[in-house]
CSV table of all heavy atoms in Angstrom, one decimal:
chain,number,residue,atom,x,y,z
A,36,MET,N,11.9,-8.7,4.4
A,36,MET,CA,10.5,-8.3,3.9
A,36,MET,C,9.5,-8.4,5.1
A,36,MET,O,8.4,-8.8,4.9
A,36,MET,CB,10.1,-9.2,2.8
A,36,MET,CG,10.9,-9.0,1.5
A,36,MET,SD,10.1,-9.8,0.1
A,36,MET,CE,8.7,-8.7,-0.2
A,37,GLU,N,9.9,-7.9,6.3
A,37,GLU,CA,9.0,-7.8,7.4
A,37,GLU,C,9.3,-6.4,8.0
A,37,GLU,O,10.4,-6.0,8.2
A,37,GLU,CB,9.3,-8.9,8.4
A,37,GLU,CG,8.4,-8.9,9.7
A,37,GLU,CD,8.7,-10.0,10.7
A,37,GLU,OE1,9.7,-10.7,10.5
A,37,GLU,OE2,8.0,-10.1,11.6
A,38,ALA,N,8.2,-5.8,8.4
A,38,ALA,CA,8.3,-4.4,8.9
A,38,ALA,C,7.2,-4.1,9.9
A,38,ALA,O,6.2,-4.8,9.9
A,38,ALA,CB,8.3,-3.4,7.7
A,39,ASP,N,7.4,-3.0,10.6
A,39,ASP,CA,6.4,-2.5,11.5
A,39,ASP,C,5.3,-1.9,10.6
A,39,ASP,O,5.6,-1.4,9.5
A,39,ASP,CB,7.0,-1.4,12.4
A,39,ASP,CG,6.0,-1.0,13.5
A,39,ASP,OD1,5.2,-0.1,13.2
A,39,ASP,OD2,6.1,-1.5,14.6
A,40,LEU,N,4.1,-1.9,11.1
A,40,LEU,CA,3.0,-1.3,10.3
A,40,LEU,C,3.2,0.2,10.0
A,40,LEU,O,2.7,0.7,9.0
A,40,LEU,CB,1.7,-1.5,11.1
A,40,LEU,CG,1.1,-2.9,11.2
A,40,LEU,CD1,-0.1,-3.0,12.1
A,40,LEU,CD2,0.8,-3.5,9.9
A,41,LYS,N,3.9,0.9,10.9
A,41,LYS,CA,4.2,2.3,10.7
A,41,LYS,C,5.2,2.5,9.5
A,41,LYS,O,5.5,3.7,9.1
A,41,LYS,CB,4.7,3.0,11.9
A,41,LYS,CG,3.7,2.9,13.1
A,41,LYS,CD,4.2,3.6,14.3
A,41,LYS,CE,3.2,3.6,15.5
A,41,LYS,NZ,3.8,4.2,16.7
A,42,TYR,N,5.9,1.4,9.1
A,42,TYR,CA,6.9,1.5,8.1
A,42,TYR,C,6.3,2.2,6.8
A,42,TYR,O,7.1,2.8,6.0
A,42,TYR,CB,7.4,0.1,7.8
A,42,TYR,CG,8.3,0.1,6.6
A,42,TYR,CD1,9.6,0.6,6.6
A,42,TYR,CD2,7.9,-0.6,5.4
A,42,TYR,CE1,10.5,0.5,5.5
A,42,TYR,CE2,8.7,-0.7,4.3
A,42,TYR,CZ,10.0,-0.1,4.3
A,42,TYR,OH,10.8,-0.2,3.2
A,43,LEU,N,5.1,2.0,6.5
A,43,LEU,CA,4.5,2.4,5.2
A,43,LEU,C,4.1,3.9,5.3
A,43,LEU,O,3.8,4.5,4.2
A,43,LEU,CB,3.2,1.6,4.9
A,43,LEU,CG,3.5,0.1,4.5
A,43,LEU,CD1,2.2,-0.6,4.3
A,43,LEU,CD2,4.4,0.0,3.3
A,44,LYS,N,4.1,4.5,6.4
A,44,LYS,CA,3.7,5.9,6.5
A,44,LYS,C,4.5,6.9,5.6
A,44,LYS,O,3.9,7.7,4.9
A,44,LYS,CB,3.7,6.4,8.0
A,44,LYS,CG,2.5,5.9,8.8
A,44,LYS,CD,2.5,6.6,10.2
A,44,LYS,CE,1.2,6.3,11.0
A,44,LYS,NZ,1.2,6.9,12.3
A,45,PRO,N,5.8,6.8,5.6
A,45,PRO,CA,6.6,7.7,4.8
A,45,PRO,C,6.3,7.5,3.3
A,45,PRO,O,6.6,8.4,2.5
A,45,PRO,CB,8.0,7.4,5.1
A,45,PRO,CG,8.0,6.7,6.4
A,45,PRO,CD,6.7,6.0,6.5
A,46,PHE,N,5.8,6.3,2.9
A,46,PHE,CA,5.6,6.1,1.5
A,46,PHE,C,4.2,6.4,1.0
A,46,PHE,O,3.8,6.1,-0.1
A,46,PHE,CB,5.9,4.6,1.2
A,46,PHE,CG,7.2,4.1,1.5
A,46,PHE,CD1,7.5,3.3,2.6
A,46,PHE,CD2,8.3,4.6,0.8
A,46,PHE,CE1,8.7,2.9,2.9
A,46,PHE,CE2,9.6,4.2,1.1
A,46,PHE,CZ,9.8,3.3,2.2
A,47,ALA,N,3.3,6.9,1.9
A,47,ALA,CA,2.0,7.3,1.5
A,47,ALA,C,1.9,8.4,0.5
A,47,ALA,O,2.7,9.3,0.5
A,47,ALA,CB,1.2,7.7,2.8
A,48,THR,N,1.0,8.2,-0.5
A,48,THR,CA,0.8,9.3,-1.5
A,48,THR,C,-0.7,9.6,-1.6
A,48,THR,O,-1.5,9.1,-0.9
A,48,THR,CB,1.3,8.7,-2.9
A,48,THR,OG1,0.5,7.6,-3.3
A,48,THR,CG2,2.8,8.3,-2.8
A,49,ARG,N,-1.0,10.5,-2.5
A,49,ARG,CA,-2.4,10.9,-2.7
A,49,ARG,C,-3.2,9.7,-3.2
A,49,ARG,O,-4.4,9.5,-2.8
A,49,ARG,CB,-2.5,12.1,-3.6
A,49,ARG,CG,-3.9,12.6,-3.8
A,49,ARG,CD,-4.0,13.8,-4.7
A,49,ARG,NE,-3.6,13.4,-6.0
A,49,ARG,CZ,-3.7,14.3,-7.1
A,49,ARG,NH1,-4.0,15.5,-6.9
A,49,ARG,NH2,-3.3,13.9,-8.3
A,50,ASN,N,-2.6,8.9,-4.0
A,50,ASN,CA,-3.4,7.7,-4.5
A,50,ASN,C,-3.3,6.5,-3.6
A,50,ASN,O,-4.3,5.8,-3.4
A,50,ASN,CB,-2.8,7.3,-5.9
A,50,ASN,CG,-3.1,8.4,-7.0
A,50,ASN,OD1,-4.1,9.0,-7.0
A,50,ASN,ND2,-2.1,8.6,-7.8
A,51,PHE,N,-2.2,6.3,-2.9
A,51,PHE,CA,-2.0,5.2,-2.0
A,51,PHE,C,-1.8,5.8,-0.6
A,51,PHE,O,-0.7,6.0,-0.1
A,51,PHE,CB,-0.8,4.4,-2.3
A,51,PHE,CG,-0.9,3.8,-3.7
A,51,PHE,CD1,0.3,3.6,-4.5
A,51,PHE,CD2,-2.1,3.3,-4.2
A,51,PHE,CE1,0.2,3.1,-5.8
A,51,PHE,CE2,-2.2,2.7,-5.4
A,51,PHE,CZ,-1.0,2.6,-6.2
A,52,THR,N,-2.9,6.2,0.1
A,52,THR,CA,-2.9,6.7,1.4
A,52,THR,C,-2.5,5.6,2.4
A,52,THR,O,-2.7,4.4,2.1
A,52,THR,CB,-4.2,7.4,1.8
A,52,THR,OG1,-5.2,6.4,1.8
A,52,THR,CG2,-4.6,8.4,0.8
Side-chain angles (χ1 to χ4, degrees):
M36 293 192 72
E37 181 181 6
D39 190 278
L40 291 174
K41 297 179 181 179
Y42 170 74
L43 294 175
K44 280 189 175 182
F46 300 110
T48 65
R49 185 177 65 177
N50 294 323
F51 299 142
T52 62

